[in-house]
Amino acid sequence: MGQARLLARRGLGCCVLGLLLLLGGSGSPGTTPPPRGPWPQEQGPEPEGGPWGRGRYEAVKKHLGAVGALSKQYWRYLACRVWQEGCEEEKQQEEREASPIPSWSFPLVGQDYLEILSAWYCSFGKCCETGDCRIINNITGLEADLNGQLHGQHLAKEAVVRAVRGFLQSPQPQKALVLSFHGWSGTGKNFVARMVASHLYRDGLKSDCVRVFVSLLHFPHHNYVESYKAQLQRQISETLQRCRQALLIFDEAEKLHSSLLEAIRPFMAQHDSEAQADQQRPIFLFLSNLGGNTINEVALDFWRAGRAREEISLELLEQRLRLELQEAAENSYAHSQLLRENLIDFVVPFLPLEYQHVKLCARDAFLARGLPYSEATLDEVAQMMVFVPKEEKLFSAQGCKSVPQRINYFLP
């Protein structure tokens, strides 16, 4: 640990020195500060091209000494954020030592450089008290990747980007953003959830601000529901305390026990005060197979009528889905009760995937592994899948879920 700190101290000291010299003084980046110490006013002009006078030499020496002292203070600040041990000793030593040049002390330099250096240092690892410094909110990248990698889901692309962008741009949202993904297995629900996490947080699903709950994995036994409720409420509370903007994903939401609703509901309901709204911006994603048959029936009706699937509107499917999910609420599905209580903001339908979409998924799988492919190879992969209904054989029964495993048959 001592050797690591020594090496880090040397490297960071050089970077701090270079950064401060480039920034050229105190104040906010991009602004020109008023001319104040440590440069003294020189007496009389110097001949052009002549050697430096004694006064300028002393000024440069004094300036570099101030920068060195300041970089040392920055190092102490960052080191105490990364390694907690020794912070008290550093703090006491800092209090004993007076800044050699008052104009370069911390109060005059301000927090701007601290934030710049902290953001730069944190880009190489986790050194933040909260996870907020690792939030990137790259909505442009999210939209681009959804357009390029999510196939056959024009409704999901539009709904997710519109909902997330609007929520993040809202100055004071009154409640959490709650999205409910519906459709057959393999149509892209988990894929989109992972993509949202990777574009909102630098660490993606591994971020301290992201929690994933799988119903049958985390809450398998109904006999322990009361214990699950306490655990779930504690975990959500801890995540919201750690991160102002948290992402909570519930997979297999249709299997979520209705009693767990009491643990989730308070975090999604309308905020009690403006202060709370400003402090917390949680996002909930529920992934469910409920409504998959309804979505497929609409898509099949459009195909039989000779209409393109892109003509299917979000309003049409959302209305059909809400009716079906409200009926499911009578069977004690907690996920459906959230919809009935108007806690879900957007119902996002995922359409069944057709033959050409499976080929695109196969292409992506080959590219991801750096393997060569041809149109014939993509056709072979698609033909290995099962398509339904029995008469039309239009939709892939598993979507693209098993496509990455299918290409193993074509390895040399």
Side-chain angles (χ1 to χ4, degrees):
M1 176 64 73
Q3 183 69 16
R5 291 187 63 176
L6 178 60
L7 293 175
R9 181 191 296 264
R10 291 175 179 173
L12 186 58
C14 294
C15 293
V16 169
L17 178 59
L19 180 60
L20 290 171
L21 288 174
L22 288 174
L23 291 173
S26 64
S28 301
T31 62
T32 303
R36 59 179 177 82
W39 299 101
Q41 296 292 332
E42 298 186 24
Q43 302 297 328
E46 288 191 19
E48 185 176 353
W52 279 11
R54 182 68 181 176
R56 178 169 293 186
Y57 170 79
E58 292 296 334
V60 171
K61 182 178 178 182
K62 195 174 184 181
H63 180 64
L64 292 178
V67 171
L70 181 61
S71 66
K72 184 177 180 181
Q73 293 186 51
Y74 275 120
W75 161 253
R76 290 175 183 168
Y77 171 81
L78 290 175
C80 283
R81 294 191 68 178
V82 182
W83 298 287
Q84 296 299 319
E85 60 183 32
C87 286
E88 291 299 326
E89 180 182 349
E90 294 279 2
K91 184 176 180 182
Q92 294 173 2
Q93 182 178 354
E94 182 178 329
E95 292 175 352
R96 289 194 302 267
E97 295 178 358
S99 178
I101 301 178
S103 61
W104 282 91
S105 63
F106 263 1
L108 291 177
V109 171
Q111 293 296 317
D112 292 329
Y113 294 159
L114 293 180
E115 296 303 325
I116 293 173
L117 293 172
S118 298
W120 169 79
Y121 194 85
C122 285
S123 67
F124 297 96
K126 295 182 179 180
C127 63
C128 309
E129 295 177 1
T130 70
D132 289 335
C133 70
R134 308 286 293 175
I135 295 175
I136 53 177
N137 287 344
N138 182 12
I139 304 302
T140 302
L142 173 63
E143 185 175 13
D145 282 353
L146 286 175
N147 287 330
Q149 301 178 36
L150 182 64
H151 307 301
Q153 304 296 353
H154 67 284
L155 297 177
K157 293 176 186 177
E158 175 189 357
V160 170
V161 172
R162 184 177 63 187
V164 174
R165 175 185 285 131
F167 180 72
L168 296 180
Q169 290 179 349
S170 175
Q172 285 187 337
Q174 296 302 308
K175 64 180 293 295
L177 174 64
V178 184
L179 304 180
S180 187
F181 295 174
H182 296 269
W184 267 6
S185 177
T187 52
K189 300 186 298 295
N190 278 282
F191 180 75
V192 172
R194 290 195 301 270
M195 195 171 289
V196 169
S198 65
H199 285 86
L200 296 189
Y201 306 91
R202 192 183 302 275
D203 304 310
L205 290 177
K206 296 181 180 180
S207 170
D208 291 335
C209 299
V210 179
R211 294 300 301 262
V212 180
F213 302 96
V214 183
S215 295
L216 293 183
L217 176 64
H218 294 96
F219 321 112
H221 304 293
H222 290 180
N223 294 335
Y224 301 106
V225 167
E226 292 301 319
S227 176
Y228 295 152
K229 285 168 57 178
Q231 295 175 15
L232 180 58
Q233 192 159 29
R234 184 184 70 252
Q235 291 171 354
I236 295 177
S237 297
E238 291 174 353
T239 305
L240 293 179
Q241 291 173 3
R242 184 163 54 244
C243 301
R244 179 171 175 264
Q245 176 187 303
L247 177 64
L248 301 127
I249 303 172
F250 290 84
D251 197 5
E252 299 178 352
E254 74 277 5
K255 299 172 181 141
L256 195 65
H257 195 278
S258 59
S259 297
L260 295 178
L261 178 62
E262 299 176 14
I264 304 173
R265 185 194 293 112
F267 301 102
M268 294 187 294
Q270 188 167 352
H271 297 304
D272 297 331
S273 64
E274 292 185 1
Q276 186 181 4
D278 184 60
Q279 292 173 1
Q280 294 184 353
R281 288 173 176 263
I283 300 174
F284 287 81
L285 301 182
F286 290 91
L287 284 53
S288 173
N289 292 335
L290 280 178
N293 291 335
T294 297
I295 297 171
N296 295 353
E297 288 173 5
V298 172
L300 184 59
D301 290 341
F302 269 69
W303 182 83
R304 287 173 175 169
R307 301 174 64 182
R309 63 191 282 135
E310 287 73 21
E311 296 182 45
I312 302 174
S313 67
L314 184 61
E315 291 75 18
L316 171 64
L317 269 180
E318 187 174 22
Q319 183 180 8
R320 295 277 297 269
L321 277 173
R322 286 183 179 274
L323 289 174
E324 179 178 343
L325 295 176
Q326 286 175 1
E327 294 177 359
E330 298 177 358
N331 296 323
S332 297
Y333 286 113
H335 176 224
S336 302
Q337 291 182 40
L338 295 175
L339 181 64
R340 187 174 60 183
E341 297 180 15
N342 296 317
L343 293 176
I344 294 177
D345 300 301
F346 292 89
V347 176
V348 183
F350 284 73
L351 300 170
L353 300 182
E354 300 177 8
Y355 185 88
Q356 67 268 24
H357 304 131
V358 176
K359 287 183 62 177
L360 292 172
C361 291
R363 181 205 63 186
D364 292 347
F366 277 106
L367 290 174
R369 298 176 62 173
L371 299 173
Y373 67 91
S374 64
E375 282 296 318
T377 305
L378 299 182
D379 280 317
E380 288 186 61
V381 174
Q383 290 168 7
M384 296 172 69
M385 308 296 287
V386 177
F387 288 85
V388 293
K390 186 175 181 180
E391 298 78 13
E392 292 87 352
K393 295 188 181 298
L394 181 61
F395 304 133
S396 172
Q398 293 181 294
C400 285
K401 196 166 190 176
S402 62
V403 166
Q405 287 73 37
R406 301 283 180 174
I407 68 174
N408 291 330
Y409 288 96
F410 301 92
L411 297 179

